[in-house]
Amino acid sequence: MHRLYYSICMHCRFNFETLGFWFPWSLVLLVVAAVLFTYISLLLVLAVCLLSEGQRLYLHWSHKMGIVVTLAFAVSATAVLSEVWSKEWKTLLLSLQVTAPFLHVGGVLFLTLLSWPIALHFFRMNKRVHQVCLLGVYLGVFFSLYLVPLAMYSPCIREAGTLGPKPTLLGHRGAPMLAPENTLMSFESAVEAGVDGLETDITISADGVPFVMHDLTLQRTTNVEEVFPNRTHTPAALFTWSDVQQLNAGAWFLSWDPFGTVSSLSPEQRALAANQTVPSLAEVLGVANRTGRTVLFDLRQPPPGHPYRDNYLNITLDLIHTHINSSQVLWLPSDQRGEIQQVDPELQQTAGQTASIQELQDNHITSLNLHYSTMSLQHISKYRSVNISVNLYVVNQPWLYSLAWCSGASSVTTNNMLLRDIHTPLLLVTPEQYSVMWVLTDLVSAALIVCIFIFHWWRERGLHFWSGSRQTHKTGPYSKFRTDPVESGRGRWNPFHSESPTRTLISLPLDLNP
């Protein structure tokens, strides 16, 4: 439930950063999807129950419309989400590396349960062709599912003793679930939570002071609308440092509660959060230097016409030399990398995209800062073989952290400080253990299916469970139950049938030959 709420909060956050106001549209979308798919699931369960008893399913027109609406909603929602979160499809594929073994077991279980109505209808069909088609399709799907693990890959299925060290944590803008992001309280909270490094974003003010700010404007995380109402949408880099110091950077966190964690703060912590201001880069470097943490920051070049557009790198470099050991800084800006390396070779040159090993070595790159969607055991192993570490961002879920661990990542940037409590990856098994689980699941499933088919074969032929009461159907594909709603002159009125005086949403034909 916490992960679901966190996901919803992240979607609301996206809405705020994009449109400038908060609205939980993803929560509305989730509720609508839950209602529609619960309805479809109940309809499917009822249909299976009817079919398992040899009854035909008569769908009322309203159900047909409901199915159409659900399908239309699913297609529309998928299209919208694909446009808004196109990168997240890779997340879905990555999640299969953890969930696929469980999905395989669940799929086998579902098809095993489905064998009951399949076997029932198989033995009640009059035509051999229908029987062959039904059984052929069912067995084809089942055997395909049985063999799915042959194509399954997960870096957490590995030989014992080959797992690398646990990835260290870099606090994404500090600890934004515990304090307002990119404030001193946030960075200090991250240090107290046990992170090994701090990640942030730097903007150069109009008078040449590097300060901490992720967004292009000050609207989302400060009260700029109150202090400078006519400059709400002005780029942050066009404010002077004295202007920035007048802004409150913590009240929004208490008001909007972006991660649902404000209630866990003590009164003292809330009071501290309410009075946070925008820190300078010098203050953040001071925290890192005092606590021995590394610092990774993204440095945004000032806009055209800015007085420090051409020498913003030198200003930042001078500040580093004044406040922290250069070896604690992961230098991410790619502009003038060669010159920066000559001026300060102690900086940990960090690249934000993949490249050939030769190119990385020529640029003195010692670490990579990559989005988690690029995660690959083969690529990370290749880089680590030449002492190039890999940091993945932004990793918040335990399953994603587990994959990063199994893939060999050196560190991850995260909002979730609870990842430090994970001591072993999820689904860490040896290939032999997984093979046993796979084969055992398939064998048990096959045995149950054979027993179900034998049971229905006995029942339909009056062996053991039934004795000499075989009935025949004059028309239709089944050989036992009559499915006509009312037989003229001798049938009973069926209140469930769609053609009865009182209609219901699903018709349930009754046996007319008691």
Side-chain angles (χ1 to χ4, degrees), residues 8-160:
I8 293 172
C9 289
M10 288 302 294
H11 299 165
C12 296
R13 182 195 189 93
F14 170 85
N15 182 78
F16 184 83
E17 292 181 355
T18 305
L19 304 178
F21 61 89
W22 292 81
F23 179 74
W25 67 269
S26 57
L27 178 59
V28 175
L29 191 68
L30 184 64
V31 170
V32 173
V35 171
L36 289 177
F37 286 102
T38 298
Y39 160 70
I40 292 296
S41 299
L42 293 175
L43 196 64
L44 179 61
V45 170
L46 183 55
V48 171
C49 291
L50 290 171
L51 293 174
S52 66
E53 292 303 321
Q55 303 291 335
R56 289 182 180 179
L57 179 64
Y58 296 92
L59 277 179
H60 192 271
W61 66 267
S62 60
H63 286 307
K64 296 177 182 179
M65 290 298 298
I67 293 174
V68 171
V69 169
T70 302
L71 291 176
F73 173 81
V75 172
S76 302
T78 301
V80 171
L81 294 179
S82 297
E83 180 67 23
V84 177
W85 296 307
S86 57
K87 293 183 179 179
E88 299 305 317
W89 288 114
K90 186 62 181 292
T91 304
L92 177 62
L93 296 178
L94 287 174
S95 69
L96 293 178
Q97 296 183 13
V98 171
T99 60
F102 302 105
L103 292 176
H104 169 251
V105 174
V108 170
L109 176 61
F110 173 75
L111 286 183
T112 302
L113 296 175
L114 193 62
S115 65
W116 183 276
I118 292 291
L120 177 67
H121 290 283
F122 174 80
F123 289 112
R124 288 180 179 176
M125 283 180 171
N126 289 327
K127 296 183 178 181
R128 183 71 63 182
V129 174
H130 293 166
Q131 289 180 315
V132 171
C133 291
L134 177 63
L135 191 61
V137 171
Y138 177 72
L139 293 180
V141 173
F142 219 125
F143 284 128
S144 298
L145 186 60
Y146 276 177
L147 298 178
V148 160
L150 292 176
M152 200 175 292
Y153 166 77
S154 173
C156 292
I157 300 177
R158 57 194 304 144
E159 297 291 345

